[in-house]
Amino acid sequence: MFIKVGDREYPFHRIRIELIETGIQELFRLFDKKTIRELLQHRRYEHLKEKVIKEYTELLDVPAGIAIYQMKKNHDLFYKEFLNKYGDLTYCQFIVKGNDSLLSKKGVYLVIKNDELVFAGICNNTFKLRFNQHIGNISPKSCFRDGTATHCHINANIAEHIRKSTIYFQICPLTDLKEMKRLKNWIIDRFEPQWNLRFGSDVNYSYNNK
């Protein structure tokens, strides 16, 4: 597959997803590295401090995941304030299979579902690390406000569709971060992938697979 931008063609290489597990729910409850009190010291939770100290005193020194899960079990929607927008979805675990030489590089990656480009992103570490240890293996901490919403978002979408769709990655190795960002932004502006956090119109575009 190639994507042409101006006079330059960028080659993309297909990377297969191997599903390990799906149906993973309430992953946030396993986060036990900090208590609620410790979590409130982070700037992203400062706006919650007054309410928590006033109304949830008994949970202040409880591990954050357990405390928030207790709120959810009590049908208290305040628990969502501690999580990112995609922090309480159904996830999956997967690894990628493909050319190890390519996977050891960094660059731009795409998610393809049923031959439709649905997400574009950049990877400034190795593709293999990003896919196998981050996007494909969501950690409990990733579900929180100061976690990685993008990884939760992509993983949850893959989990939702992978049983009934053909989903795989396409990667384009690049070394320059500015070039990665330019290419990713061009792809998003041109194709408006559905899963990108920067949602545009409802129009779907397909790509040319060479």
Side-chain angles (χ1 to χ4, degrees), residues 12-205:
F12 281 78
H13 307 272
R14 180 167 175 158
I15 300 296
R16 181 168 60 88
I17 292 174
E18 184 173 295
L19 184 65
I20 297 173
E21 181 183 1
T22 191
I24 302 169
Q25 296 182 319
E26 296 169 334
L27 186 58
F28 65 87
R29 76 186 190 282
L30 301 178
F31 179 64
D32 60 0
K33 303 297 184 185
K34 290 184 179 180
T35 64
I36 290 291
R37 188 188 301 276
E38 291 169 327
L39 211 60
L40 292 173
Q41 303 307 309
H42 192 285
R43 60 180 178 80
R44 293 201 179 178
Y45 303 91
E46 285 180 350
H47 66 293
L48 304 177
K49 186 178 294 186
E50 183 177 348
K51 181 177 176 69
V52 173
I53 291 175
K54 183 178 179 180
E55 301 180 24
Y56 299 89
T57 306
E58 73 282 3
L59 295 179
L60 281 171
D61 296 310
V62 176
I66 294 173
I68 295 167
Y69 183 53
Q70 185 63 50
M71 292 180 197
K72 182 178 180 179
K73 287 199 299 182
N74 291 337
H75 307 290
D76 184 349
L77 294 181
F78 184 63
Y79 86 94
K80 292 185 177 182
E81 295 296 323
F82 292 87
L83 305 176
N84 68 61
K85 184 178 179 181
Y86 310 98
D88 189 21
L89 299 177
T90 299
Y91 306 112
C92 61
Q93 183 181 5
F94 62 81
I95 58 174
V96 294
K97 297 286 187 177
N99 186 311
D100 280 339
S101 176
L102 292 173
L103 286 170
S104 67
K105 301 181 186 301
K106 57 186 180 179
V108 174
Y109 67 93
L110 311 176
V111 183
I112 309 298
K113 178 174 78 78
N114 294 337
D115 291 334
E116 179 188 337
L117 193 163
V118 292
F119 188 86
I122 61 173
C123 176
N124 201 29
N125 48 32
T126 71
F127 290 115
K128 192 168 188 176
L129 178 68
R130 174 64 58 87
F131 297 150
N132 287 356
Q133 296 188 30
H134 298 294
I135 298 176
N137 188 24
I138 300 298
S139 70
K141 185 62 172 66
S142 294
C143 301
F144 282 73
R145 272 186 175 269
D146 57 330
T148 315
T150 301
H151 294 169
C152 294
H153 172 65
I154 301 170
N155 183 290
N157 271 293
I158 291 175
E160 179 181 355
H161 297 283
I162 196 164
R163 292 293 193 189
K164 54 184 181 290
S165 303
T166 300
I167 300 177
Y168 55 92
F169 291 105
Q170 292 271 12
I171 61 173
C172 176
L174 295 169
T175 57
D176 183 74
L177 182 58
K178 289 183 179 179
E179 186 176 13
M180 293 180 208
K181 290 180 178 179
R182 282 197 302 269
L183 177 57
K184 183 202 75 169
N185 290 337
W186 186 93
I187 291 170
I188 291 173
D189 289 341
R190 170 63 180 85
F191 296 105
E192 297 182 347
Q194 283 188 333
W195 296 0
N196 273 91
L197 299 182
R198 192 174 79 188
F199 291 108
S201 71
D202 292 327
V203 178
N204 296 332
Y205 294 88

